[in-house]
């Protein structure tokens, strides 16, 4: 059969020499050498390169940036103001940056880092303005920790994946300057107990955070997984508040004001506040310990025999102490293996080897963190807090295994 020749020169006027390499069967691949002697494989998709025998023709040549295999279909499933990480598709504990969940109230702004400024004022000895470059001159820190929106819960139907149930959490390595370093620089007054963080987006989002937390482990982050923050994650700078509800992690950070009381912003009065048995639960900062089995999960299929149950567990109050798995609908629980590293306030991978006998059952996981807190059932949560308005829901999540090997989420009603 005759090879089909693809004319690459029309895509790149700089091409001086063309080398055509015949493919084995029906396709041919053109590798183009530029005047500088660089090999360019122009405008050929991986699908076009797909062949029965990949050893019989050259592959793609290095480009300026790498891309994910076209066989891997990972997407964030965006809605208008949020997008969710495909937890069921991940291995290990780092979320690829382009799949980090997104949540914002006024869209992603475009900010020129050379013009961006951070003002720190209020109860300080020396109000100051920092450019991004100024912040980068201070000693830096890195830590791997999760971020989670406090509205991270969905239920209601059997056809939900981990992504829909709790994909408003992701994990990165964050790098930046400790807020305590900057607080020392401006000299915060001893009477300052709260600070306001304000974002430079259309939502101009503001949150009050206790100075105690600010001095403990808060970071002004400018990098994520080895590169500058993604615009969606707050480029050029954001607050990273380990273990605390996503909303306090103010993105596109432009102002910090020190005070001796909280500021009672919209985000802490009308939102991110829960009505619990007639009372208001406000400033519920810590993200409670949670876990979810990501394999097997809907819409995956399992076969009789050995199955490695896999998932992630995390706690906003510290390290994961243990994860238990039940394969008999919660009647008995077994200890799962935890994968190192088990980091403070970080997604931790767990595994449990299970021999499925082919009968219908339910599988689920529950985590206990180092403070002794154990992930509750939805019933326990509702008993303790009423039906709530949906914030800080971290219930045990069960998957139904059907005799035909299909896996379905088990929605539970709030009553
Ligand atoms: N400036 C600003 N910061 C913000 C928000 C916002 O809308 N504007 N959304 C918050 C909310 S509700 C969450 S859950 C986290 C989400 O962070 P991410 O988009 O990087 O995942 O950012 C927080 N920081
Ligand atoms: Mo959020």
């Amino acid at each position: 059969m005759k090879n089909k020749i693809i004319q690459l020169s029309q895509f790149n006027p700089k091409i001086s020499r063309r080398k055509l390499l015949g493919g084995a069967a029906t396709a041919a691949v053109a590798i183009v050498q530029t005047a500088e002697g660089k090999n360019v494989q122009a405008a050929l998709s991986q699908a076009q390169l797909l062949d029965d025998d990949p050893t019989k023709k050259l592959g793609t040549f290095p480009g300026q940036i790498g891309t994910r295999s076209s066989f891997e279909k990972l997407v964030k499933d965006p809605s208008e103001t949020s997008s969710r990480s495909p937890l069921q598709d991940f291995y290990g504990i780092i979320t690829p940056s382009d799949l980090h969940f997104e949540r914002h109230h006024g869209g992603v702004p475009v900010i020129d880092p050379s013009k961006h400024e951070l003002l720190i004022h209020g109860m300080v000895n020396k109000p100051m303005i920092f450019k991004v470059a100024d912040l980068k001159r201070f000693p830096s820190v890195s830590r791997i920790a999760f971020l989670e929106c406090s509205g991270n819960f969905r239920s209601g139907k059997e056809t939900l994946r981990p992504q829909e149930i709790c994909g408003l959490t992701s994990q990165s390595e964050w790098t930046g300057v400790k807020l305590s370093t900057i607080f020392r620089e401006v000299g915060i007054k001893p009477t300052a107990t709260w600070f306001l963080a304000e974002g430079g987006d259309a939502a101009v989002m503001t949150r009050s955070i206790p100075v105690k937390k600010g001095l403990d482990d808060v970071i002004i982050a400018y990098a994520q997984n080895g590169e500058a923050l993604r615009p969606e994650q707050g480029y050029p700078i954001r607050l990273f508040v380990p273990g605390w509800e996503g909303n306090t992690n103010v993105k596109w950070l432009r102002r910090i004001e020190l005070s001796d009381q909280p500021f009672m912003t919209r985000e802490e009065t009308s939102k991110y506040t829960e009505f619990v048995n007639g009372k208001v639960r406000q400033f519920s900062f810590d993200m409670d310990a949670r876990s979810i089995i990501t394999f097997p999960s809907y819409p995956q299929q399992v076969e009789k025999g050995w199955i490695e149950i896999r998932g992630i567990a995390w706690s906003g109050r510290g390290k994961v102490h243990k994860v238990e798995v039940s394969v008999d609908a919660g009647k008995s629980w077994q200890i799962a293996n935890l994968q190192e590293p088990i980091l403070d306030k970080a997604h931790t991978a767990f595994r449990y080897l299970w021999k499925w006998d082919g009968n219908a059952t339910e599988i689920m996981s529950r985590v206990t963190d180092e403070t002794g807190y154990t992930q509750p059932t939805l019933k326990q949560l509702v008993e303790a807090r009423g039906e709530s308005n949906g914030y800080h829901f971290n219930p045990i999540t069960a998957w139904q295994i059907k005799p035909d090997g299909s896996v379905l989420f088990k929605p539970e009603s709030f009553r």
Side-chain angles (χ1 to χ4, degrees):
M1 204 184 287
K2 222 170 164 257
N3 286 335
K4 195 177 152 218
I5 293 165
I6 298 163
Q7 296 293 326
L8 285 172
S9 52
Q10 70 198 59
F11 299 122
N12 188 343
K14 275 190 262 159
I15 290 163
S16 65
R17 194 157 68 87
R18 227 181 305 153
K19 236 192 328 185
L20 296 175
L21 300 159
T26 54
V29 179
I31 303 301
V32 177
Q33 208 160 57
T34 64
E36 305 87 60
K38 255 181 132 182
N39 284 325
V40 177
Q41 191 269 307
L44 279 189
S45 72
Q46 285 199 334
Q48 286 173 285
L49 275 174
L50 186 59
D51 195 10
D52 293 342
D53 186 352
T55 67
K56 291 290 182 283
K57 65 187 175 194
L58 292 173
T60 57
F61 284 81
Q64 289 195 316
I65 53 163
T67 54
R68 187 163 290 130
S69 164
S70 57
F71 295 99
E72 299 296 322
K73 311 281 184 215
L74 293 95
V75 288
K76 294 209 272 188
D77 265 1
S79 69
E80 222 165 85
T81 57
S82 66
S83 67
R84 293 162 178 258
S85 281
L87 301 177
Q88 65 281 352
D89 298 324
F90 295 158
Y91 306 92
I93 54 170
I94 298 290
T95 306
S97 299
D98 60 351
L99 294 166
H100 194 286
F101 85 93
E102 255 176 83
R103 177 88 180 91
H104 34 77
H105 309 255
V108 177
V110 179
I111 297 177
D112 179 342
S114 69
K115 297 200 181 102
H116 189 72
E117 291 180 340
L118 170 64
L119 165 69
I120 308 196
H121 67 139
M123 299 176 90
V124 300
N125 294 327
K126 212 172 27 151
M128 285 176 81
I129 288 173
F130 298 89
K131 304 280 262 185
V132 178
D134 300 332
L135 294 170
K136 289 184 181 168
R137 289 184 55 201
F138 287 96
S140 57
V141 285
S142 293
R143 80 177 284 171
I144 294 170
F146 75 88
L147 184 66
E148 183 179 18
C149 178
S150 53
N152 191 21
F153 177 67
R154 243 189 234 170
S155 183
K157 54 179 183 182
E158 292 180 317
T159 52
L160 292 181
R161 297 171 298 169
Q163 180 164 17
E164 281 99 29
I165 299 161
C166 65
L168 290 174
T169 184
S170 308
Q171 176 151 287
S172 294
E173 181 197 45
W174 302 96
T175 299
V177 51
K178 287 185 85 171
L179 186 59
S180 59
T181 305
I182 302 301
F183 275 179
R184 207 171 303 127
E185 191 70 12
V186 297
I188 61 168
K189 301 236 159 90
T191 43
T193 48
W194 288 82
F195 70 92
L196 181 84
E198 180 184 271
D201 54 331
V204 195
M205 218 201 71
T206 46
R207 278 303 303 259
S208 311
I209 299 169
V211 163
K212 193 163 173 265
K213 176 69 173 174
L215 291 173
D216 178 18
D217 59 1
V218 175
I219 299 171
I220 299 175
Y222 44 75
Q224 171 189 9
N225 296 337
E227 58 171 339
L229 293 183
R230 296 262 160 167
E232 312 85 72
Q233 264 69 62
Y235 184 84
I237 50 169
R238 84 172 306 161
L239 215 55
F240 186 71
V241 188
W244 280 25
E245 62 180 6
N247 197 252
T248 59
N249 294 249
V250 172
K251 302 189 277 190
W252 313 292
L253 183 69
R254 71 166 187 192
R255 189 169 73 89
I256 289 177
E257 183 178 346
L258 279 295
S259 174
D260 55 6
Q261 56 190 333
F263 290 75
M264 296 299 174
T265 71
R266 185 185 72 111
E267 303 294 319
E268 45 217 26
T269 49
S270 80
K271 305 177 108 208
Y272 300 98
T273 283
E274 300 133 79
F275 296 93
V276 180
N277 302 329
K279 288 192 192 139
V280 169
R281 184 173 183 246
Q282 208 171 20
F283 300 120
S284 44
F285 290 129
D286 287 307
M287 292 309 295
D288 298 315
R290 189 167 187 179
S291 71
I292 184 166
I293 291 171
T294 53
F295 179 84
S297 64
Y298 174 79
Q300 295 151 354
Q301 281 281 133
V302 289
E303 278 173 44
K304 211 167 136 171
W306 289 105
I307 296 169
E308 185 179 66
I309 294 176
R310 302 175 187 137
I312 49 168
W314 64 98
S315 167
R317 292 197 185 85
K319 290 183 186 178
V320 166
H321 170 63
K322 67 172 178 189
V323 175
E324 294 161 290
V325 166
S326 174
V327 293
D328 56 9
K331 287 190 215 68
S332 66
W333 295 86
Q334 276 78 39
I335 296 285
N337 290 319
L338 299 182
Q339 171 68 59
E340 299 279 346
I342 302 165
L343 300 171
D344 186 25
K345 298 166 186 153
H347 287 171
T348 302
F350 69 84
R351 305 186 177 97
Y352 179 75
L353 210 50
W354 172 45
K355 196 167 188 183
W356 182 43
D357 60 10
N359 293 321
T361 188
E362 282 170 26
I363 62 170
M364 59 195 83
S365 63
R366 75 175 178 210
V367 58
T368 300
D369 70 18
E370 61 178 345
T371 71
Y373 174 97
T374 298
Q375 184 181 9
T377 59
L378 188 59
K379 197 164 158 272
Q380 289 169 330
L381 272 170
V382 172
E383 272 165 20
R385 298 222 228 107
E387 280 181 47
S388 182
N389 55 6
Y391 292 120
H392 290 275
F393 265 65
N394 60 324
I396 291 172
T397 301
W399 300 102
Q400 314 170 63
I401 312 289
K402 302 289 181 189
D404 66 357
S406 58
V407 184
L408 290 170
F409 173 55
K410 191 189 177 204
E412 284 182 275
S413 82
F414 278 66
R415 286 163 209 283

